[in-house]
Amino acid sequence: MPKKAKKKTVVRREYTRADVNGLRAHSKAKTPVVKIAKLTKRSVGSLRQKALKLGIRLGATGARADAARLADNVIMQRRKII
């Protein structure tokens, strides 16, 4: 008879004052959310929820982000052609 899989326990960490200050700094610097998530060891969803509660934006937004995505798409298309 196969063994039952153990459930993974969820570890919740509260945001410290330093975490919030760091999040605000990353917001001003327009650091990509994925990069912030790796640095802080928190999920992208967690960071976005906290930013929403703080009333700040995360990551590159607006025309600059659209231009970066467009450039990435062009590069990927060129790689497929070559």
Side-chain angles (χ1 to χ4, degrees):
M1 193 166 176
K3 292 183 179 180
K4 289 185 181 179
K6 291 184 180 179
K7 284 190 177 182
K8 202 173 192 181
T9 57
V10 177
V11 178
R12 294 179 188 207
R13 291 182 291 129
E14 288 193 26
Y15 279 85
T16 62
R17 187 173 292 229
D19 291 336
V20 172
N21 290 340
L23 198 57
R24 288 183 193 276
H26 282 297
S27 176
K28 278 190 176 182
K30 296 187 178 180
T31 310
V33 186
V34 175
K35 198 171 191 179
I36 302 169
K38 287 178 183 175
L39 290 171
T40 59
K41 296 183 181 175
R42 293 183 185 269
S43 69
V44 173
S46 169
L47 293 169
R48 289 209 180 275
Q49 282 298 312
K50 190 62 178 179
L52 183 70
K53 286 181 183 177
L54 295 172
I56 59 176
R57 291 183 173 186
L58 282 184
T61 56
R64 197 172 97 186
D66 291 339
R69 275 190 226 105
L70 183 63
D72 288 342
N73 288 340
V74 169
I75 291 169
M76 293 305 290
Q77 287 176 351
R78 286 182 181 166
R79 287 183 183 167
K80 288 179 183 176
I81 293 171
I82 296 175

